Amino acid sequence: MKESTEHQGILIRAISLLMAMLFMLPFPACSKPGEGAPAVRVSAAPDSVYAGERVICMIRVRHPEGLLAALELPDSSALAPFVLVGRNRSSSKPAPGLAEDRFELELAVFGSGRQNLPEFAILFRDSEGHRAGRTHHRPEASVYVKTLTPSGMNELRPFKPPIQPEFPILLLMPFLLAAFALAGAVLLALFLVKRKVRLFAETVDPAQVAHRKLRKLGSRLSGGLAPVECYDQLSGIMREYLERHYHIRALEAVTQEIERDLRKLGVSSFDAIMTLLKQSDLVKFADSRPSLDESLKSIRQAEDLIGSGRDGGG
């Protein structure tokens, strides 16, 4: 009996020792692959700005794939000296079983000196929308605000549009000067040509021009020109001669005005000129029908009048 009791004690001690050794062995992990505590990383760029300029704050939250992350920011007073201008969110899967949410915040910075990024919280929910946890973070990243602008500035600085390059006026100056010089040369040439033409017209003998036209008119009359048209052209030739020879307004004047001007000048062949002009008016306005011989006679009279005016000088 005593021997049996000793065997039982030895067995109990052996079992206890074995259990103690088993407890000392490491147990395998029961979590799924990729599962672990969420990791949060915060960065800001640029790290140095002027008051009122923007800073992009990037918050990366890596967590198990089954969770959903949401960013919680404090109110505007707690965000000071930062002002939230815009925010954006994107998600990705960097590895099997893991998900990463990226929160991009556009912040305007005010004040001066070193400014720590504002605190925030990350809220996690499962796929069914139940709250799975919440973590609070105080970023170590900071932004240095330069003191070029007053520290009391508290308004957003608007984006400045890109400065347009100035128009290269100096480069175009040679072309502009050349264009002006060319225009001046053209105007000068036109002026000289017009003056030369006027001087040439003044030197041409109006009696010679009238005689040449009268000879052509006589040839056309002999070739079949109607006497009515002959008198119409004869009146125009005489009026042009009178205007250029006596310097009176005859081409656009009526016969009475020409008569008045010639009477003032005391032209020696005044009566013959007026008879010829009035005869032309009768053919043109009174339906007078002269014959071919009368038309040829009027042309010869006009030639005599022009010749006497040139020889006598008026």
Side-chain angles (χ1 to χ4, degrees):
M1 187 67 179
K2 183 178 180 181
E3 185 177 353
S4 177
T5 303
E6 291 178 357
H7 284 297
Q8 290 179 357
I10 294 173
L11 181 60
I12 291 173
R13 286 195 295 273
I15 293 173
S16 300
L17 181 61
L18 181 60
M19 291 180 65
M21 293 177 64
L22 289 175
F23 277 111
M24 293 178 64
L25 294 175
F27 286 88
C30 297
S31 60
K32 298 179 181 179
E35 188 176 6
V40 179
R41 291 184 299 170
V42 182
S43 61
D47 58 357
S48 178
V49 294
Y50 291 104
E53 291 185 335
R54 270 69 168 176
V55 172
I56 302 300
C57 176
M58 181 65 71
I59 301 174
R60 294 180 173 86
V61 182
R62 184 169 294 188
H63 54 80
E65 187 174 0
L67 297 179
L68 299 175
L71 178 65
E72 294 183 350
L73 294 174
D75 56 14
S76 57
S77 59
L79 278 177
F82 295 89
V83 176
L84 180 62
V85 179
R87 59 191 299 172
N88 190 19
R89 174 181 176 173
S90 60
S91 301
S92 62
K93 295 182 179 180
L98 285 180
E100 183 178 272
D101 291 322
R102 291 184 296 274
F103 301 94
E104 182 178 327
L105 305 178
E106 184 179 1
L107 303 173
V109 191
F110 298 94
S112 61
R114 183 67 59 181
Q115 304 291 343
N116 292 325
L117 294 180
E119 302 178 4
F120 61 90
I122 303 294
L123 178 63
F124 296 96
R125 296 183 182 275
D126 56 19
S127 58
E128 297 180 355
H130 299 142
R131 179 169 176 172
R134 184 177 184 275
T135 59
H136 185 270
H137 299 274
R138 184 189 298 270
E140 297 180 358
S142 61
V143 177
Y144 185 80
V145 183
K146 301 176 184 179
T147 58
L148 182 62
T149 54
S151 58
M153 181 178 180
N154 55 8
E155 295 182 358
L156 293 178
R157 176 178 297 176
F159 284 111
K160 294 182 179 180
I163 300 176
Q164 298 293 334
E166 296 182 358
F167 192 76
I169 298 180
L170 295 179
L171 296 179
L172 296 180
M173 285 299 294
F175 300 98
L176 295 176
L177 293 177
F180 283 120
L182 180 61
V186 171
L187 293 176
L188 180 60
L190 292 176
F191 172 76
L192 295 177
V193 170
K194 185 177 180 180
R195 182 178 180 182
K196 187 174 182 180
V197 170
R198 185 172 65 251
L199 293 176
F200 177 77
E202 292 176 354
T203 57
V204 175
D205 187 2
Q208 293 180 356
V209 176
H211 274 297
R212 185 170 60 254
K213 291 183 177 181
L214 288 173
R215 286 195 297 269
K216 289 182 179 180
L217 181 60
S219 300
R220 294 180 60 193
L221 182 62
S222 300
L225 181 67
V228 176
E229 296 182 7
C230 174
Y231 272 93
D232 185 33
Q233 296 184 21
L234 177 61
S235 176
I237 294 173
M238 287 300 299
R239 288 170 179 270
E240 182 181 2
Y241 165 75
L242 294 174
E243 180 167 317
R244 297 182 60 185
H245 183 72
Y246 294 106
H247 305 288
I248 62 174
R249 192 172 65 91
L251 287 172
E252 298 179 357
V254 297
T255 305
Q256 289 78 6
E257 294 175 342
I258 298 175
E259 182 179 8
R260 181 194 60 199
D261 293 337
L262 293 178
R263 191 185 301 276
K264 291 180 180 179
L265 294 175
V267 178
S268 58
S269 55
F270 170 77
D271 294 333
I273 293 174
M274 295 311 305
T275 300
L276 186 60
L277 292 178
K278 290 178 180 180
Q279 186 177 2
S280 298
D281 289 344
L282 290 175
V283 175
K284 185 175 181 181
F285 301 108
D287 293 333
S288 177
R289 293 294 180 266
S291 62
L292 178 61
D293 293 337
E294 292 176 343
S295 301
L296 291 173
K297 183 179 179 180
S298 296
I299 293 176
R300 288 193 294 270
Q301 290 178 354
E303 291 178 345
D304 294 339
L305 289 173
I306 292 172
S308 62
R310 181 176 60 180
D311 296 338

